[in-house]
Amino acid sequence: MYETLMGSTAYGVFTDDYGRVIFGFCVPPKEDVFPHLSGEIPGFDNPRERFEQFQEAHIDDPSANNGDGCEWDFAIYSVVKYISLCLECNPNIIDSLFTPQDCVLHITKVGSMVRERRRLFFTKAAGLGLRVMRTPRCAKCVQKERPVSERF
């Protein structure tokens, strides 16, 4: 349904030293989305394993870059998990909807509908999550603000 280049490629700072990252979503078999279609009664039966995501890193592609090769990292989610992560304001997932159009590798009508409505996933929680991501994680990273009199 939707595949896009992420990371350094999407931000325009890609070099051959970095791998390429692809995020996206697909529609799993209908029994995964609607288990009752296969006779499963949620809460009563033992749930069978369902497709939620395919994640693989460091897949070597020796033919890329005119034979110099590169590595690929993939994160492909079921549409149900992908939308759920969007609703939880997962910054990486939200970011995948805002990549430049030339980074979109594959998109269907459903993918276009989600991408066109991407701003609907912005909430106060999304703003807080993005602010937390920019906050340094350790005390060593935090630079103390000098008093105004010392700065001038």
Side-chain angles (χ1 to χ4, degrees):
M1 298 280 127
Y2 182 67
E3 285 181 333
T4 188
L5 286 167
M6 292 282 294
S8 60
T9 307
Y11 296 116
V13 294
F14 178 78
T15 68
D16 292 339
D17 298 332
Y18 297 106
R20 292 185 170 96
V21 180
I22 295 178
F23 270 50
F25 65 87
C26 64
V27 175
K30 62 183 174 186
E31 291 81 15
D32 281 6
V33 180
F34 306 106
H36 67 282
L37 294 176
S38 63
E40 183 181 319
I41 302 172
F44 291 96
D45 293 325
N46 289 329
R48 64 179 181 79
E49 194 171 318
R50 291 180 172 72
F51 172 77
E52 284 198 346
Q53 72 185 58
F54 167 78
Q55 199 156 0
E56 190 74 35
H58 309 295
I59 298 173
D60 192 34
D61 183 1
S63 63
N65 295 329
N66 296 321
D68 289 339
C70 80
E71 286 186 346
W72 293 91
D73 295 345
F74 288 90
I76 307 296
Y77 300 89
S78 78
V79 67
V80 175
K81 174 125 179 154
Y82 189 88
I83 298 297
S84 174
L85 290 169
C86 284
L87 292 171
E88 292 171 6
C89 302
N90 180 298
N92 290 329
I93 301 299
I94 299 269
D95 193 32
S96 71
L97 292 172
F98 286 86
T99 57
Q101 188 63 42
D102 62 342
C103 288
V104 176
L105 302 173
H106 177 77
I107 193 163
T108 64
K109 188 174 182 178
V110 171
S112 293
M113 289 170 53
V114 173
R115 190 170 160 94
E116 288 167 7
R117 292 164 179 82
R118 60 193 170 194
R119 296 198 186 281
L120 294 175
F121 296 112
F122 281 133
T123 64
K124 287 182 181 180
L128 176 63
L130 294 172
R131 223 179 356 253
V132 167
M133 276 184 47
R134 289 185 299 225
T135 303
R137 301 273 186 238
C138 65
K140 287 190 268 180
C141 300
V142 178
Q143 295 180 354
K144 295 192 176 175
E145 186 75 23
R146 294 185 316 194
V148 175
S149 60
E150 289 180 22
R151 285 188 272 163
F152 296 103

